[in-house]
Amino acid sequence: METLLGQTYMSKYRFVLQSGMLAGLVAVLSIPSILKVLICTRQSSAPNTAYRRYLRTILHTQAWYLYAPEPKNSKFWISLRAVRKAHSRSSRACGKLGAGTITQKDLALTQFGFIGFITLGAYRIQLYDQEFLEATSHMWRVIGYLLGIKDEYNICGTNWNETRLRLDIVLRKVYTPALENTSKDFEEATKALLNGLWPVNTTLTVGSFLFMTKRLAWIKGYEYYNFDYRPGTQSDPNQYRYYKDLNWWDRFIIFYGLFLVTYLHKYNVIRWYLNFRVWLNEQITYYVPYIGMIMFGFKWAYNSECTIHHHHYTQELAKQMETQFEVHNIRNDLPQLINLILNSCPLMILKPFEL
């Protein structure tokens, strides 16, 4: 079954899949109709709310990759139903407030965010796995359908060649122009998203990741390598290079990240290292989100539907922490905090992800 085959690639290409999806989430914010709904829901306007919302998005996506679509009560289906319900609720609420509703077009453009950059840009990281492209295209066609996208709006076709043509049209006609002319609301939402997800990946910076996202969308001035030009176009010596505007840390992150995925990701040992690093970050964020605690407080880091299951002892642990540490001074108490968490771990019941 191709859907299950598509799911198997999360373990093989976890790092680039997650990176491509995050770039897609940033790009989606450049679509005015989608951004208006997100602003209306007030779930993405600040780092703490963005942390909760986008971590939930990441975990939903993992459920679609990691759990089998059978039986009907599997976490694959529980996740899909939860997302459809959330879309319906947000659409109705924002419609009443005059911010617009979630349309089929918005769903299709969001679908691009999950699949577009990693598939269209696969050759740019020397990923020539045709079976991966076919299986991923089919899997996201099915998921799009299950999320309520009608066939005439589904960005994934019956095979990869059909999907590739659709994705390329959407990139050229929608995302490239949108990312060339972004609004102040986009900038604020992007900062909230990336700063909110910093506890999940501490190498994230707004400058570096926005540069890499625009590079993937073929925005002029955001080229890094000589092959970073749309096929059929040439380098313009008079084009301003926005890389010059970045600070040294952003430049280092871009160099390090692009060098790894462009030239080294094809080697199994490097791919294993990158995948393991993402997996480890996921486990820490899922079970002991200590950076989230430091940045946003215990309530936001732990009392969320997208982290660990709350047993009585876990809540008692949180109360102990709240009593012993003031949030505004918590950075000074970090060693003591980590020691308390480690000593209390036997009290914590770590259950699988519950939606």
Side-chain angles (χ1 to χ4, degrees):
M1 182 177 180
E2 280 189 283
T3 301
L4 293 177
L5 179 61
Q7 290 176 313
T8 63
Y9 286 100
M10 174 57 79
S11 60
K12 187 174 182 179
Y13 299 126
R14 183 184 296 266
F15 179 83
V16 291
L17 277 170
Q18 296 280 33
S19 299
M21 289 178 193
L22 182 54
L25 287 175
V26 171
V28 163
L29 297 176
S30 68
I31 307 301
S33 60
I34 297 176
L35 184 56
K36 283 181 66 177
V37 172
L38 290 174
I39 292 173
C40 175
T41 62
R42 292 185 289 184
Q43 294 184 18
S44 310
S45 55
N48 58 342
T49 55
Y51 168 80
R52 182 172 287 188
R53 182 188 185 280
Y54 290 110
L55 183 57
R56 187 182 304 127
T57 299
I58 291 170
L59 293 176
H60 276 304
T61 306
Q62 288 180 352
W64 304 338
Y65 270 100
L66 300 179
Y67 295 103
E70 296 177 357
K72 286 286 186 176
N73 62 348
S74 72
K75 291 180 181 178
F76 177 91
W77 285 100
I78 294 172
S79 172
L80 287 171
R81 286 192 287 268
V83 171
R84 292 197 65 163
K85 184 177 179 180
H87 284 172
S88 177
R89 184 170 59 245
S90 297
S91 185
R92 288 196 305 271
C94 292
K96 292 178 181 179
L97 294 174
T101 59
I102 299 174
T103 65
Q104 287 287 308
K105 175 186 173 183
D106 294 333
L107 290 174
L109 292 178
T110 303
Q111 189 183 21
F112 176 98
F114 287 99
I115 189 178
F117 289 134
I118 182 57
T119 53
L120 287 178
Y123 74 95
R124 297 169 80 175
I125 58 173
Q126 303 185 58
L127 202 169
Y128 302 110
D129 190 339
Q130 190 66 26
E131 191 176 68
F132 159 72
L133 296 173
E134 290 286 356
T136 301
S137 171
H138 179 79
M139 174 181 168
W140 280 94
R141 178 177 174 83
V142 172
I143 290 176
Y145 173 79
L146 295 177
L147 287 175
I149 302 178
K150 297 178 181 178
D151 288 343
E152 58 265 35
Y153 288 94
N154 199 316
I155 207 167
C156 296
T158 55
N159 55 58
W160 164 239
N161 285 332
E162 186 177 334
T163 300
R164 178 176 56 81
L165 291 175
R166 296 180 183 183
L167 291 172
D168 186 62
I169 290 171
V170 170
L171 179 59
R172 286 187 292 107
K173 300 292 186 181
V174 180
Y175 277 105
T176 299
L179 286 166
E180 283 178 331
N181 302 282
T182 56
S183 64
K184 184 178 179 180
D185 286 339
F186 166 81
E187 294 175 3
E188 292 176 354
T190 300
K191 288 179 182 178
L193 187 161
L194 296 175
N195 290 333
L197 288 181
W198 189 83
V200 181
N201 180 357
T202 54
T203 64
L204 282 178
T205 66
V206 175
S208 65
F209 205 81
L210 191 54
F211 180 93
M212 289 189 281
T213 299
K214 292 190 175 185
R215 170 184 173 266
L216 288 171
W218 305 106
I219 306 298
K220 293 181 180 179
Y222 288 87
E223 299 86 1
Y224 190 79
Y225 293 118
N226 291 331
F227 54 78
D228 283 340
Y229 297 91
R230 182 177 286 279
T233 62
Q234 296 181 342
S235 172
D236 180 0
N238 298 320
Q239 174 66 54
Y240 184 77
R241 307 295 178 187
Y242 294 98
Y243 181 79
K244 298 177 182 178
D245 297 335
L246 301 175
N247 60 44
W248 71 269
W249 180 245
D250 287 337
R251 293 186 183 192
F252 173 75
I253 293 296
I254 291 170
F255 162 76
Y256 170 73
L258 293 184
F259 182 77
L260 275 178
V261 298
T262 304
Y263 296 107
L264 301 182
H265 181 264
K266 62 183 178 181
Y267 298 109
N268 290 335
V269 64
I270 300 298
R271 191 164 60 246
W272 179 88
Y273 158 72
L274 294 173
N275 291 342
F276 173 76
R277 198 179 74 179
V278 173
W279 176 85
L280 183 61
N281 284 345
E282 290 171 354
Q283 304 311 304
I284 293 172
T285 303
Y286 186 81
Y287 290 116
V288 190
Y290 65 95
I291 300 180
M293 297 181 209
I294 295 169
M295 289 188 64
F296 308 128
F298 301 104
K299 178 179 178 180
W300 285 95
Y302 263 118
N303 293 338
S304 168
E305 65 187 85
C306 61
T307 54
I308 66 172
H309 177 79
H310 287 89
H311 187 267
H312 171 73
Y313 291 112
T314 307
Q315 294 187 342
E316 286 300 315
L317 170 61
K319 289 179 181 178
Q320 290 180 43
M321 293 177 176
E322 289 280 16
T323 301
Q324 295 189 32
F325 301 99
E326 294 292 335
V327 172
H328 64 276
N329 290 325
I330 201 167
R331 285 181 175 83
N332 298 327
D333 299 317
L334 183 57
Q336 189 180 354
L337 169 64
I338 293 175
N339 186 56
L340 174 61
I341 293 173
L342 294 178
N343 290 337
S344 304
C345 275
L347 299 177
M348 299 167 66
I349 295 182
L350 306 180
K351 292 189 176 182
F353 170 47
E354 297 287 348
L355 289 164

